[in-house]
Amino acid sequence: MTEPDLATSADTFARLAIELHDAPGVEETIDAVVQFAQQALNCTYAGVALYTRGSQAEIAAVTDPVVTAFYDQQIATDSGPLITALRERTAVLIRDTTADERWPELGAQAPGIRSVLDVPLATGDAPRHTVGVLGLYGAEPGAFTADDEAIAYVLAQHASVAVASARHEETMAQAVDARKLVGQAMGILMERFDVDGDRAFAILKRYSQDTNTKLRDVAQQLIDTRKLPH
């Protein structure tokens, strides 16, 4: 990159960092990433797939339905550049999907996608730090230059931290909400049955186990209906 290009990129990424920081949740954070990717890079489409707890890829955001179809096919067959980038934590570049020897079926699966650049989203070296994959796609072969690849890696670093942070904050918020619900439900049981807090919690836990229902959901049902699940 030339010096003006570097300056422009630095300014652009500074704005992205602010935008990601201001995003209210995981969904908004990911949407900001794909929209930025499509604007800042030479790509026709963009998408993000995230790692779920079951070590599966889950579509989080796309800029066009063609990317959804592209992801769905790879997830269904458990094969393709998305799966490789996710599991091996390595970037995958395909200059022409109709001529790629690794996945010769790609061209037929997604006729609207000819160039692929899948970059892993990760916050550390351990597999558990894998967040997902940022996918950049071109409608023409050879869409991505070396500069595009460099920018994609920087964008992936920003996105990895932002998504991981948003996920953590969302999880913490859910945990706080769950504690509040359980506390309310315990209060109802303590008043109704004249029991102490330990006994009230034991009742909730037993109903949770017997009905195979999350403790939070048992508490919510008791608060809403004043009845425990059967």
Side-chain angles (χ1 to χ4, degrees), residues 91-113:
V92 177
L93 173 65
I94 299 176
R95 301 197 180 280
D96 189 348
T97 55
T98 64
D100 188 81
E101 295 180 356
R102 292 167 294 181
W103 301 285
E105 72 284 356
L106 280 185
Q109 288 176 355
I113 293 176

mmCIF file of all heavy atoms in Angstrom, residues 91-113:
data_model
loop_
_atom_site.group_PDB
_atom_site.id
_atom_site.type_symbol
_atom_site.label_atom_id
_atom_site.label_comp_id
_atom_site.label_asym_id
_atom_site.label_seq_id
_atom_site.Cartn_x
_atom_site.Cartn_y
_atom_site.Cartn_z
ATOM 1 N N ALA A 91 -6.664 -18.657 6.946
ATOM 2 C CA ALA A 91 -7.373 -17.981 5.863
ATOM 3 C C ALA A 91 -7.386 -18.856 4.610
ATOM 4 O O ALA A 91 -6.424 -19.578 4.329
ATOM 5 C CB ALA A 91 -6.716 -16.643 5.553
ATOM 6 N N VAL A 92 -8.485 -18.811 3.883
ATOM 7 C CA VAL A 92 -8.625 -19.581 2.648
ATOM 8 C C VAL A 92 -8.925 -18.613 1.502
ATOM 9 O O VAL A 92 -9.898 -17.865 1.558
ATOM 10 C CB VAL A 92 -9.760 -20.621 2.750
ATOM 11 C CG1 VAL A 92 -9.920 -21.357 1.420
ATOM 12 C CG2 VAL A 92 -9.486 -21.605 3.879
ATOM 13 N N LEU A 93 -8.066 -18.632 0.490
ATOM 14 C CA LEU A 93 -8.249 -17.780 -0.686
ATOM 15 C C LEU A 93 -8.513 -18.657 -1.900
ATOM 16 O O LEU A 93 -7.750 -19.581 -2.194
ATOM 17 C CB LEU A 93 -7.005 -16.926 -0.927
ATOM 18 C CG LEU A 93 -6.991 -16.099 -2.216
ATOM 19 C CD1 LEU A 93 -8.081 -15.035 -2.197
ATOM 20 C CD2 LEU A 93 -5.616 -15.457 -2.429
ATOM 21 N N ILE A 94 -9.593 -18.390 -2.593
ATOM 22 C CA ILE A 94 -9.921 -19.085 -3.842
ATOM 23 C C ILE A 94 -10.069 -18.028 -4.920
ATOM 24 O O ILE A 94 -10.958 -17.172 -4.850
ATOM 25 C CB ILE A 94 -11.219 -19.902 -3.720
ATOM 26 C CG1 ILE A 94 -11.081 -20.976 -2.628
ATOM 27 C CG2 ILE A 94 -11.571 -20.554 -5.055
ATOM 28 C CD1 ILE A 94 -12.356 -21.762 -2.386
ATOM 29 N N ARG A 95 -9.208 -18.079 -5.903
ATOM 30 C CA ARG A 95 -9.238 -17.065 -6.955
ATOM 31 C C ARG A 95 -10.339 -17.321 -7.972
ATOM 32 O O ARG A 95 -10.843 -16.391 -8.601
ATOM 33 C CB ARG A 95 -7.876 -16.984 -7.640
ATOM 34 C CG ARG A 95 -6.767 -16.629 -6.656
ATOM 35 C CD ARG A 95 -5.513 -16.150 -7.358
ATOM 36 N NE ARG A 95 -4.463 -15.820 -6.384
ATOM 37 C CZ ARG A 95 -4.403 -14.696 -5.694
ATOM 38 N NH1 ARG A 95 -5.335 -13.772 -5.871
ATOM 39 N NH2 ARG A 95 -3.432 -14.476 -4.819
ATOM 40 N N ASP A 96 -10.724 -18.594 -8.143
ATOM 41 C CA ASP A 96 -11.803 -18.918 -9.084
ATOM 42 C C ASP A 96 -12.471 -20.216 -8.621
ATOM 43 O O ASP A 96 -11.855 -21.283 -8.648
ATOM 44 C CB ASP A 96 -11.260 -19.087 -10.498
ATOM 45 C CG ASP A 96 -12.377 -19.216 -11.535
ATOM 46 O OD1 ASP A 96 -13.543 -19.409 -11.139
ATOM 47 O OD2 ASP A 96 -12.075 -19.124 -12.739
ATOM 48 N N THR A 97 -13.708 -20.120 -8.176
ATOM 49 C CA THR A 97 -14.407 -21.298 -7.648
ATOM 50 C C THR A 97 -14.647 -22.361 -8.715
ATOM 51 O O THR A 97 -14.832 -23.539 -8.385
ATOM 52 C CB THR A 97 -15.773 -20.893 -7.040
ATOM 53 O OG1 THR A 97 -16.537 -20.183 -8.021
ATOM 54 C CG2 THR A 97 -15.576 -20.025 -5.811
ATOM 55 N N THR A 98 -14.639 -21.975 -9.986
ATOM 56 C CA THR A 98 -14.886 -22.959 -11.038
ATOM 57 C C THR A 98 -13.622 -23.731 -11.407
ATOM 58 O O THR A 98 -13.681 -24.690 -12.167
ATOM 59 C CB THR A 98 -15.426 -22.265 -12.313
ATOM 60 O OG1 THR A 98 -14.428 -21.385 -12.832
ATOM 61 C CG2 THR A 98 -16.685 -21.480 -12.006
ATOM 62 N N ALA A 99 -12.477 -23.311 -10.839
ATOM 63 C CA ALA A 99 -11.211 -23.972 -11.186
ATOM 64 C C ALA A 99 -10.447 -24.440 -9.954
ATOM 65 O O ALA A 99 -9.285 -24.823 -10.065
ATOM 66 C CB ALA A 99 -10.334 -23.016 -11.999
ATOM 67 N N ASP A 100 -11.087 -24.428 -8.787
ATOM 68 C CA ASP A 100 -10.403 -24.817 -7.564
ATOM 69 C C ASP A 100 -10.396 -26.335 -7.413
ATOM 70 O O ASP A 100 -11.447 -26.981 -7.507
ATOM 71 C CB ASP A 100 -11.078 -24.178 -6.347
ATOM 72 C CG ASP A 100 -10.294 -24.408 -5.076
ATOM 73 O OD1 ASP A 100 -9.312 -23.680 -4.840
ATOM 74 O OD2 ASP A 100 -10.650 -25.334 -4.329
ATOM 75 N N GLU A 101 -9.210 -26.905 -7.208
ATOM 76 C CA GLU A 101 -9.075 -28.356 -7.128
ATOM 77 C C GLU A 101 -9.477 -28.908 -5.769
ATOM 78 O O GLU A 101 -9.829 -30.083 -5.647
ATOM 79 C CB GLU A 101 -7.633 -28.763 -7.447
ATOM 80 C CG GLU A 101 -7.219 -28.444 -8.874
ATOM 81 C CD GLU A 101 -5.800 -28.866 -9.165
ATOM 82 O OE1 GLU A 101 -5.118 -29.333 -8.225
ATOM 83 O OE2 GLU A 101 -5.366 -28.728 -10.323
ATOM 84 N N ARG A 102 -9.430 -28.080 -4.728
ATOM 85 C CA ARG A 102 -9.787 -28.562 -3.392
ATOM 86 C C ARG A 102 -11.282 -28.829 -3.266
ATOM 87 O O ARG A 102 -11.699 -29.817 -2.661
ATOM 88 C CB ARG A 102 -9.341 -27.539 -2.336
ATOM 89 C CG ARG A 102 -7.844 -27.402 -2.187
ATOM 90 C CD ARG A 102 -7.485 -26.174 -1.377
ATOM 91 N NE ARG A 102 -7.849 -24.927 -2.069
ATOM 92 C CZ ARG A 102 -7.636 -23.712 -1.596
ATOM 93 N NH1 ARG A 102 -7.072 -23.581 -0.390
ATOM 94 N NH2 ARG A 102 -7.968 -22.638 -2.284
ATOM 95 N N TRP A 103 -12.072 -27.918 -3.808
ATOM 96 C CA TRP A 103 -13.534 -28.060 -3.754
ATOM 97 C C TRP A 103 -14.089 -27.788 -5.148
ATOM 98 O O TRP A 103 -14.653 -26.715 -5.421
ATOM 99 C CB TRP A 103 -14.120 -27.077 -2.742
ATOM 100 C CG TRP A 103 -13.587 -27.274 -1.368
ATOM 101 C CD1 TRP A 103 -13.894 -28.267 -0.485
ATOM 102 C CD2 TRP A 103 -12.618 -26.443 -0.696
ATOM 103 N NE1 TRP A 103 -13.202 -28.113 0.683
ATOM 104 C CE2 TRP A 103 -12.409 -27.005 0.595
ATOM 105 C CE3 TRP A 103 -11.933 -25.286 -1.050
ATOM 106 C CZ2 TRP A 103 -11.521 -26.446 1.512
ATOM 107 C CZ3 TRP A 103 -11.055 -24.723 -0.137
ATOM 108 C CH2 TRP A 103 -10.853 -25.301 1.128
ATOM 109 N N PRO A 104 -13.965 -28.739 -6.059
ATOM 110 C CA PRO A 104 -14.392 -28.525 -7.449
ATOM 111 C C PRO A 104 -15.889 -28.291 -7.608
ATOM 112 O O PRO A 104 -16.327 -27.783 -8.642
ATOM 113 C CB PRO A 104 -13.962 -29.827 -8.146
ATOM 114 C CG PRO A 104 -13.840 -30.839 -7.042
ATOM 115 C CD PRO A 104 -13.376 -30.079 -5.851
ATOM 116 N N GLU A 105 -16.663 -28.644 -6.565
ATOM 117 C CA GLU A 105 -18.115 -28.484 -6.643
ATOM 118 C C GLU A 105 -18.577 -27.070 -6.311
ATOM 119 O O GLU A 105 -19.752 -26.722 -6.527
ATOM 120 C CB GLU A 105 -18.805 -29.468 -5.694
ATOM 121 C CG GLU A 105 -18.674 -29.164 -4.199
ATOM 122 C CD GLU A 105 -17.315 -29.507 -3.599
ATOM 123 O OE1 GLU A 105 -16.463 -30.066 -4.321
ATOM 124 O OE2 GLU A 105 -17.104 -29.213 -2.413
ATOM 125 N N LEU A 106 -17.683 -26.223 -5.808
ATOM 126 C CA LEU A 106 -18.085 -24.895 -5.346
ATOM 127 C C LEU A 106 -18.715 -24.052 -6.442
ATOM 128 O O LEU A 106 -19.692 -23.340 -6.210
ATOM 129 C CB LEU A 106 -16.886 -24.140 -4.766
ATOM 130 C CG LEU A 106 -16.462 -24.477 -3.339
ATOM 131 C CD1 LEU A 106 -15.354 -23.543 -2.902
ATOM 132 C CD2 LEU A 106 -17.633 -24.399 -2.377
ATOM 133 N N GLY A 107 -18.142 -24.079 -7.619
ATOM 134 C CA GLY A 107 -18.654 -23.269 -8.720
ATOM 135 C C GLY A 107 -20.109 -23.548 -9.020
ATOM 136 O O GLY A 107 -20.895 -22.633 -9.277
ATOM 137 N N ALA A 108 -20.484 -24.825 -8.959
ATOM 138 C CA ALA A 108 -21.867 -25.210 -9.234
ATOM 139 C C ALA A 108 -22.784 -24.881 -8.060
ATOM 140 O O ALA A 108 -23.961 -24.553 -8.246
ATOM 141 C CB ALA A 108 -21.935 -26.713 -9.546
ATOM 142 N N GLN A 109 -22.240 -24.940 -6.842
ATOM 143 C CA GLN A 109 -23.056 -24.685 -5.648
ATOM 144 C C GLN A 109 -23.451 -23.217 -5.533
ATOM 145 O O GLN A 109 -24.537 -22.896 -5.065
ATOM 146 C CB GLN A 109 -22.277 -25.103 -4.392
ATOM 147 C CG GLN A 109 -22.139 -26.607 -4.231
ATOM 148 C CD GLN A 109 -21.282 -26.967 -3.029
ATOM 149 O OE1 GLN A 109 -20.722 -26.105 -2.361
ATOM 150 N NE2 GLN A 109 -21.167 -28.260 -2.763
ATOM 151 N N ALA A 110 -22.556 -22.334 -5.922
ATOM 152 C CA ALA A 110 -22.834 -20.900 -5.796
ATOM 153 C C ALA A 110 -22.377 -20.180 -7.059
ATOM 154 O O ALA A 110 -21.296 -19.594 -7.106
ATOM 155 C CB ALA A 110 -22.118 -20.335 -4.578
ATOM 156 N N PRO A 111 -23.178 -20.237 -8.122
ATOM 157 C CA PRO A 111 -22.782 -19.637 -9.404
ATOM 158 C C PRO A 111 -22.540 -18.131 -9.326
ATOM 159 O O PRO A 111 -21.857 -17.565 -10.178
ATOM 160 C CB PRO A 111 -23.966 -19.965 -10.319
ATOM 161 C CG PRO A 111 -25.099 -20.282 -9.407
ATOM 162 C CD PRO A 111 -24.498 -20.887 -8.195
ATOM 163 N N GLY A 112 -23.073 -17.469 -8.311
ATOM 164 C CA GLY A 112 -22.873 -16.029 -8.181
ATOM 165 C C GLY A 112 -21.572 -15.659 -7.497
ATOM 166 O O GLY A 112 -21.220 -14.482 -7.423
ATOM 167 N N ILE A 113 -20.845 -16.677 -6.984
ATOM 168 C CA ILE A 113 -19.594 -16.418 -6.272
ATOM 169 C C ILE A 113 -18.441 -17.039 -7.038
ATOM 170 O O ILE A 113 -18.402 -18.247 -7.256
ATOM 171 C CB ILE A 113 -19.651 -16.996 -4.838
ATOM 172 C CG1 ILE A 113 -20.688 -16.227 -4.005
ATOM 173 C CG2 ILE A 113 -18.281 -16.933 -4.171
ATOM 174 C CD1 ILE A 113 -20.886 -16.780 -2.607
#
